[in-house]
Amino acid sequence: TVGTKEVYNYRSKITPHYDSPKRNEGGLISEIGFKQKTSRRLVDVPECSIATVAINEKLTQVRDEKRKEAAEGRLNRPKKGATLLLRDANEGVITDHNTYVTTSVNDLTFRFLAGNFFQNN
């Protein structure tokens, strides 16, 4: 096990959620974030303190894009909502679950699908 000295900005993958846009509310998305502890309610999280700086920069862009797609009626309307992926890897911040990425730890390089579980924090 190789630990990190970082207290913030160390998490290399986050999966924020959003609820399905409601047609009677103009098809808009409100919260994009994570479930409240002991609740199913979503809490809007525009920035994640434990995620890498690169993820937080991309998160702002992804949130804006999803809200724009919803407002323009271009967003696939999942029945219950959806989960986004932001994975910080050697290739940059990846949002496609099915893209292969690499991550280096010391002199080792690991290759895996961006959406797969790989804990390196």
Side-chain angles (χ1 to χ4, degrees):
T1 302
V2 178
T4 180
K5 295 176 186 170
E6 302 300 323
V7 177
Y8 297 103
N9 304 114
Y10 64 88
R11 184 65 58 98
S12 62
K13 175 187 171 192
I14 63 170
T15 53
H17 312 279
Y18 62 89
D19 287 331
S20 181
K22 308 286 188 273
R23 291 187 194 280
N24 61 351
E25 295 174 8
L28 302 178
I29 295 175
S30 53
E31 292 80 21
I32 298 176
F34 303 98
K35 301 282 185 186
Q36 182 179 22
K37 186 176 180 180
T38 69
S39 169
R40 298 187 59 81
R41 187 175 87 72
L42 272 178
V43 176
D44 195 48
V45 180
E47 182 175 320
C48 180
S49 298
I50 62 173
T52 64
V53 172
I55 284 178
N56 278 308
E57 289 171 356
K58 186 72 170 184
L59 178 60
T60 299
Q61 175 189 342
V62 169
R63 287 166 53 92
D64 290 346
E65 288 171 358
K66 288 299 168 191
R67 288 196 167 115
K68 183 177 180 182
E69 288 174 27
E72 294 174 354
R74 297 184 294 115
L75 184 68
N76 290 339
R77 293 182 186 271
K79 289 185 178 185
K80 294 185 178 181
T83 300
L84 303 171
L85 168 71
L86 292 99
R87 164 79 74 180
D88 193 354
N90 292 345
E91 297 78 8
V93 178
I94 305 300
T95 59
D96 180 353
H97 289 74
N98 297 312
T99 297
Y100 277 95
V101 296
T102 58
T103 295
S104 300
V105 178
N106 293 334
D107 60 346
L108 296 173
T109 298
F110 300 90
R111 183 176 183 264
F112 53 95
L113 287 172
N116 284 1
F117 178 80
F118 180 85
Q119 188 166 340
N120 64 337
N121 54 354

